[in-house]
Amino acid sequence: MTEIRDLDEFFDDTFKLPVGGKTYVIPAPDAETGLLCQRLMHAGLDANAGREVNSDGINDLASAVLDDDQERDLYQRILGPVYDELFADGVSWPRIQHVGMTALVWVAAGREPAIKYWESGGAGEAPAPNRATRRATAAAAKSTRSRGSATTTTRATASRSKKAATSRGKTS
């Protein structure tokens, strides 16, 4: 009988993005954030296709307006410690937004769609979140508990991060 290798031997649940000559390594988010991203992406795609978006009260979420604090909270949740690192390195807000939205696509749809979104410069050539998704994201950021400051909160255990990554499929 063949023994199955430990997932840690071959599975990389990080996403690397180069910005200004530096490569930022985005860790997999916790399961709650990963599932939220997937739900928002599917709701945005349904809304964009003209389908009714009403599962789990997503219509209520989609009617919210994304303010600056909610947008920052979402990016902090998705990017983890990389969010603070980008700020410390003096990266401009539009670039941080692009990194954050690319990471959202990565979490929700996988590595290849995220790379397409990244390389489109945000022009939407991948299943990137649309306006309805941004609104849903804002409301979800209000309705779900925050991880808190990345500087004082420890990262989730590796096993929880790997479980979250597994829920979006094997990436390499």
Side-chain angles (χ1 to χ4, degrees):
M1 180 186 218
T2 304
E3 188 172 321
I4 297 175
R5 293 187 311 160
D6 188 296
L7 188 61
D8 291 342
E9 293 178 28
F10 60 89
F11 190 78
D12 181 7
D13 62 353
T14 63
F15 192 55
K16 297 164 184 74
L17 293 174
V19 178
K22 179 177 179 178
T23 299
Y24 294 88
V25 180
I26 302 166
D30 59 64
E32 180 183 7
T33 301
L35 293 171
L36 171 66
C37 291
Q38 287 182 343
R39 184 171 158 230
L40 293 172
M41 180 68 70
H42 290 295
L45 293 172
D46 286 347
N48 194 42
R51 292 186 291 269
E52 173 117 6
V53 181
N54 200 16
S55 64
D56 299 328
I58 199 77
N59 277 338
D60 295 334
L61 296 176
S63 66
V65 176
L66 183 63
D67 68 26
D68 291 342
D69 290 336
Q70 293 163 343
E71 186 173 13
R72 273 190 299 272
D73 181 61
L74 174 67
Y75 294 146
Q76 285 174 330
R77 291 178 70 184
I78 294 170
L79 297 174
V82 170
Y83 181 83
D84 290 332
E85 189 178 354
L86 288 161
F87 267 99
D89 290 346
V91 175
S92 70
W93 180 244
R95 288 174 178 251
I96 292 172
Q97 286 178 306
H98 188 64
V99 170
M101 291 305 292
T102 301
L104 179 106
V105 174
W106 166 61
V107 171
R111 190 170 303 275
E112 291 306 314
I115 292 168
K116 286 181 184 175
Y117 180 79
W118 176 259
E119 292 178 353
S120 77
E125 294 181 20
N130 61 16
R131 188 174 185 182
T133 302
R134 281 180 53 109
R135 288 180 176 171
T137 300
K142 278 198 279 191
S143 67
T144 59
R145 61 186 170 92
S146 173
R147 284 189 335 187
S149 170
T151 58
T152 59
T153 303
T154 59
R155 293 290 305 154
T157 64
S159 62
R160 283 197 317 188
S161 295
K162 287 181 171 74
K163 287 178 186 174
T166 302
S167 72
R168 67 172 180 272
K170 180 183 172 188
T171 57
S172 42

